Amino acid sequence: MLDNFTIVTKGGIVLWSMEWAKLKGSPINKMIKKVLLEERSADSSYNTDNYSLKWTFANEFDLIFIAVYQKIFTLMYIDELLLAVKKRFVKMYKDMLVAIKNSADSIELESFKEFDFEVILEEVEMRSKLQQTSISTPKRYEDTTKGKLGKETKREKEMKLGTYEKNKKKEDAKREKKLKRQQDRKARQQEDYSDTDSGSEDDYSEQEENSDTSSNNSKEDNIDENNKENNTKGTTGADDQEDPEITKRRQALIANMKKSPMSKKKSVADKEKNTPEKPKSKKEARKWEGGELTKSEKEALNKSEKSAKKEIVRETIVKHNIDMEVSSDEEDKPASGFMKYFNVLTGNRVITKQDLEPILNDFKTHLTKKNVALDIAEKLVESVGTGLTGKKLSTFQGVTSVVKQTMEEVVTRILTPKRNIDILKDVQNVKGKRPYTIVFSGVNGVGKSTNLAKVCYWLTANGFKVMLAACDTFRSGAIEQLRTHAERLNVQVFERGYGKDAASIAGDAINYAKETGHDVVLIDTTGRMQNNEPLMKALSKLVNQNAADLVLFVGEALVGNDGVDQLTKFDQSLSLIADSTRAERRTIDGIILTKFDTIDDKVGAAISMVYSTGIPIVFLGTGQNYTDLKRMNIKSVVKSLLT
């Protein structure tokens, strides 16, 4: 059922991999890019294309264990498999893993091919099948709330009629009969799980002593008849009389088949009390000199062998589970007293979940106070905790300082753009061929037109010829506002009045800019709520029909969690409503975060927006002047967030 299992270091070195089916695409690379690099490692799984991926970390050695399987299958044993492989792998190659971690160069580990992965996989699959086949006892109607209420109502009626005691005696008698039948059935079932050494001579002798005299006489008669038949079927020249030892064994076998469950329990109890312990000899296959076994005797032997095999498998699984529980308890047990201080001095202290829990809770509270969305703050601290659990501390290094340092690295990695948006370079690359188009979108009143004018001032200051396109044909005064900005910036504005199709106006503006030699076209759009489907369709039509080079979402730094919802739904709407005839569907490319100067140190909205969508912040609006547009300083944002 598994397609691939890979063990890789956090530095990207593949140490061991096993493949059952060739993977289509690169699901592991996608998981590393979308999950690990974006600090979503606290998620339980990741789905991409037709695959589901699960993973676990060995933070002490910076290892990642990844399992890949088809999305349509539900494999219940994957988590257990990952933990079992991690434990066995680290135990077998601990010294080599230390060498890899401490060395800058990669080391070839030839003994990796000796790693017996299939044994672990077989054990885990067998245990999972046994758990799935075990059927839990259904809840009786009498134990449900409705059943208890009905029982109380019935008892009250019977008390009034005076028939309660009589009916109670009848029910008790029925219950006793039912219980007796269940006990008899259970006792008969226990015969199938008898011990494999039930055929030893001591058992046979005690079974004969516990049997009744009459039953023994009938059994001896049956045995004599069977002996006669078997002697006639034997080879020529065989003795007429059977060996006494063989006769004794046959008598014991038949007695074991026909004895009652109560006599079996009694014989086992007597054996435990009276029989001294003897070393068990290896059981040999039975060889009957007098002839072949009867059909009933063969069935008994087959049952005994099957029950023995089941018991061996059950004991192996129980033993394995006990070993796993003991080892996990030993690993999770924190150091105390003198050993704790000794580990601090020697640098052998390992970070545990108990150490991280209070510190991470404090960080979660701190992030929410900085305007980070609660669910995102929880995911961030969970990701940090997952990456630090099991890691070793250096001498005199505190857990709090390690958590803070890791949190700084995580937030920096989140805010660092995955795609480098260099507008000046992109405009220069298409200059002279066609105009570079930028679309400004967002909800009502966030400052789209104002920030469009700021971007226009920035581009003209860098020597580019810019034209504005008035595609906000819905809001009263929108065209006049854009015309005012154009006059102050000394640029041209393209307009067609109110009530017209915005996508057509944008197309005409781009064609006109190409004819007049403009380098950039900045397209202003109507403000719209993220759940307004007709307006979202119009925006998608404008973006996809005119093949915009850059789509910017303008949002406020004040709104916090609402900004996350707005950005997410804008991005999803553009993707779902995009023109299906185009191979590449355009979505939001970047964010302009306005009113950033009014939030003091509550910069959490920036983290929330980028983490939830992966879209980078291109500009920050820090005032009302044309020059109040800045590129985001990641270090200053991280400092404001964590102080």
Side-chain angles (χ1 to χ4, degrees):
M1 295 274 230
L2 275 177
D3 285 357
N4 183 281
F5 195 99
T6 299
I7 303 173
V8 63
T9 66
K10 291 184 178 180
I13 302 174
V14 178
L15 300 181
W16 184 86
S17 181
M18 192 169 186
E19 191 173 70
W20 289 266
K22 187 173 180 59
L23 298 179
K24 297 180 180 179
S26 303
I28 296 178
N29 292 340
K30 288 183 180 179
M31 188 273 288
I32 293 173
K33 182 180 179 181
K34 296 292 185 181
V35 178
L36 302 185
L37 295 182
E38 295 185 6
E39 293 302 327
R40 303 174 191 273
S41 56
D43 296 345
S44 58
S45 62
Y46 172 71
N47 295 329
T48 176
D49 299 330
N50 297 324
Y51 298 103
S52 289
L53 292 87
K54 286 194 174 185
W55 58 89
T56 188
F57 297 97
N59 292 316
E60 183 179 355
F61 303 103
D62 292 336
L63 296 181
I64 310 171
F65 298 78
I66 306 171
V68 185
Y69 57 96
Q70 293 288 332
K71 191 191 299 184
I72 58 174
F73 297 125
T74 303
L75 304 184
M76 306 300 294
Y77 59 83
I78 294 297
D79 293 331
E80 185 181 357
L81 175 66
L82 288 168
L83 294 176
V85 173
K86 179 178 74 171
K87 178 185 173 185
R88 184 81 62 87
F89 190 85
V90 170
K91 184 177 180 180
M92 292 178 67
Y93 305 110
K94 185 175 182 180
D95 297 335
M96 297 181 184
L97 295 174
V98 172
I100 291 177
K101 187 177 179 181
N102 297 333
S103 175
D105 301 328
S106 61
I107 299 176
E108 294 184 3
L109 303 176
E110 297 180 356
S111 58
F112 269 35
K113 60 186 179 182
E114 300 174 2
F115 179 66
D116 198 0
F117 175 83
E118 293 184 353
V119 173
I120 299 177
L121 179 60
E122 186 176 355
E123 291 177 359
V124 174
E125 285 182 341
M126 183 186 300
R127 192 156 45 250
S128 177
K129 288 178 181 178
L130 288 177
Q131 290 175 355
Q132 292 176 7
T133 53
S134 60
I135 302 174
S136 58
T137 305
K139 194 173 184 180
R140 298 186 306 168
Y141 175 76
E142 293 81 359
D143 297 333
T144 61
T145 305
K146 188 176 180 180
K148 290 178 181 178
L149 183 62
K151 189 175 181 181
E152 290 294 327
T153 305
K154 182 180 178 181
R155 186 176 68 83
E156 290 177 0
K157 289 182 180 179
E158 290 176 349
M159 291 288 288
K160 291 180 181 179
L161 297 174
T163 59
Y164 176 72
E165 294 295 334
K166 184 178 179 181
N167 292 336
K168 185 180 179 182
K169 289 181 180 179
K170 290 182 179 179
E171 290 179 359
D172 291 342
K174 290 181 180 179
R175 193 179 297 109
E176 288 180 0
K177 289 181 180 179
K178 184 177 180 181
L179 182 62
K180 187 176 180 181
R181 287 196 300 268
Q182 291 177 351
Q183 291 176 350
D184 294 342
R185 190 183 302 112
K186 186 176 180 180
R188 287 194 299 270
Q189 290 176 352
Q190 287 179 353
E191 290 185 2
D192 296 336
Y193 298 97
S194 59
D195 296 333
T196 55
D197 60 344
S198 59
S200 61
E201 295 182 5
D202 294 335
D203 291 342
Y204 293 142
S205 61
E206 294 197 12
Q207 290 169 3
E208 290 174 355
E209 292 175 1
N210 293 327
S211 301
D212 295 330
T213 307
S214 60
S215 63
N216 283 338
N217 293 334
S218 62
K219 292 170 189 175
E220 290 176 359
D221 295 338
N222 292 333
I223 291 170
D224 292 339
E225 293 177 0
N226 290 333
N227 287 338
K228 291 178 181 180
E229 293 176 1
N230 291 333
N231 288 333
T232 56
K233 295 179 182 179
T235 56
T236 307
D239 296 336
D240 294 336
Q241 294 183 352
E242 194 176 20
D243 190 357
E245 183 66 24
I246 297 175
T247 304
K248 186 178 180 181
R249 287 180 178 271
R250 292 169 65 83
Q251 290 175 354
L253 179 61
I254 297 173
N256 187 28
M257 291 167 53
K258 295 185 178 181
K259 69 177 182 176
S260 65
M262 297 303 296
S263 63
K264 178 180 178 181
K265 291 182 180 179
K266 183 177 178 182
S267 63
V268 172
D270 294 338
K271 177 184 176 182
E272 292 177 352
K273 291 180 181 179
N274 302 325
T275 306
E277 295 183 358
K278 295 181 180 180
K280 296 182 179 179
S281 58
K282 186 176 180 181
K283 187 175 179 181
E284 298 179 356
R286 294 183 177 88
K287 296 180 180 179
W288 305 100
E289 295 179 1
E292 297 181 354
L293 290 174
T294 62
K295 184 177 180 181
S296 60
E297 292 171 347
K298 288 181 179 179
E299 291 177 355
L301 289 175
N302 291 334
K303 282 185 178 180
S304 177
E305 291 176 358
K306 289 180 180 178
S307 62
K309 291 180 180 178
K310 289 180 180 179
E311 191 66 27
I312 292 171
V313 172
R314 190 179 293 106
E315 289 177 358
T316 304
I317 292 172
V318 171
K319 184 175 183 296
H320 182 78
N321 287 335
I322 293 173
D323 292 340
M324 290 289 290
E325 293 173 0
V326 171
S327 62
S328 61
D329 292 340
E330 291 176 353
E331 291 174 358
D332 296 338
K333 187 177 180 181
S336 60
F338 174 75
M339 288 303 300
K340 185 174 181 179
Y341 294 104
F342 179 78
N343 290 335
V344 173
L345 292 172
T346 57
N348 291 327
R349 187 181 176 191
V350 177
I351 301 177
T352 62
K353 291 182 180 179
Q354 292 81 359
D355 297 331
L356 292 171
E357 186 173 356
I359 301 171
L360 292 178
N361 287 334
D362 292 341
F363 266 97
K364 182 174 69 174
T365 304
H366 178 78
L367 292 174
T368 53
K369 289 181 179 178
K370 294 287 185 175
N371 211 21
V372 178
L374 178 60
D375 58 336
I376 294 175
E378 290 176 347
K379 290 179 180 178
L380 281 175
V381 297
E382 285 178 7
S383 178
V384 171
T386 304
L388 289 178
T389 304
K391 212 171 185 65
K392 282 189 177 181
L393 295 174
S394 59
T395 306
F396 296 111
Q397 192 177 25
V399 180
T400 304
S401 61
V402 173
V403 172
K404 185 175 181 180
Q405 181 182 354
T406 306
M407 187 67 74
E408 290 178 359
E409 296 173 355
V410 166
V411 176
T412 302
R413 190 157 51 246
I414 290 172
L415 292 177
T416 302
K418 307 301 182 291
R419 172 196 168 193
N420 186 20
I421 300 177
D422 191 341
I423 297 177
L424 297 178
K425 183 180 178 181
D426 294 339
V427 173
Q428 189 65 40
N429 290 336
V430 299
K431 186 177 180 180
K433 302 176 183 177
R434 60 176 179 84
Y436 187 86
T437 57
I438 304 176
V439 177
F440 292 77
S441 63
V443 299
N444 308 76
V446 294
K448 291 187 300 300
S449 300
T450 302
N451 283 274
L452 179 146
K454 292 179 182 180
V455 174
C456 178
Y457 174 81
W458 174 65
L459 290 170
T460 53
N462 283 277
F464 295 108
K465 188 177 180 181
V466 183
M467 187 182 75
L468 309 183
C471 295
D472 185 356
T473 61
F474 181 79
R475 180 173 63 89
S476 299
I479 297 177
E480 288 77 10
Q481 181 185 7
L482 204 63
R483 192 184 298 150
T484 303
H485 285 305
E487 291 175 357
R488 290 185 177 181
L489 295 170
N490 194 23
V491 296
Q492 187 176 356
V493 59
F494 185 90
E495 58 177 287
R496 284 285 187 266
Y498 293 99
K500 303 293 180 63
D501 182 36
S504 300
I505 296 174
D508 294 340
I510 294 171
N511 293 330
Y512 179 78
K514 186 176 181 180
E515 294 173 358
T516 56
H518 285 83
D519 301 320
V520 183
V521 177
L522 304 181
I523 302 174
D524 188 26
T525 62
T526 305
R528 65 205 75 205
M529 296 305 294
Q530 63 271 22
N531 54 2
N532 191 325
E533 186 175 348
L535 291 179
M536 292 306 300
K537 285 183 177 180
L539 178 63
S540 177
K541 178 183 176 182
L542 185 151
V543 170
N544 289 277
Q545 181 173 305
N546 296 287
D549 293 293
L550 187 68
V551 182
L552 297 178
F553 174 83
V554 183
E556 288 184 345
L558 295 169
V559 294
N561 297 346
D562 290 338
V564 176
D565 183 63
Q566 292 168 7
L567 176 60
T568 304
K569 290 186 177 177
F570 258 76
D571 190 61
Q572 291 176 351
S573 298
L574 287 178
S575 176
L576 293 174
I577 310 174
D579 187 2
S580 59
T581 60
R582 293 180 59 86
E584 182 181 357
R585 298 188 177 188
R586 293 304 313 281
T587 55
I588 303 296
D589 297 311
I591 303 169
I592 297 180
L593 204 57
T594 65
K595 305 176 185 179
F596 203 75
D597 55 319
T598 63
I599 59 173
D600 296 328
D601 60 345
K602 295 185 178 181
V603 296
I607 307 296
S608 300
M609 287 184 175
V610 177
Y611 184 86
S612 59
T613 61
I615 300 172
I617 296 175
V618 182
F619 295 111
L620 296 175
T622 57
Q624 297 300 317
N625 297 320
Y626 291 133
T627 57
D628 294 333
L629 188 71
K630 297 180 180 179
R631 305 285 294 198
M632 186 176 66
N633 189 333
I634 296 177
K635 290 184 178 180
S636 63
V637 172
V638 173
K639 184 178 179 181
S640 300
L641 183 69
L642 298 179
T643 55

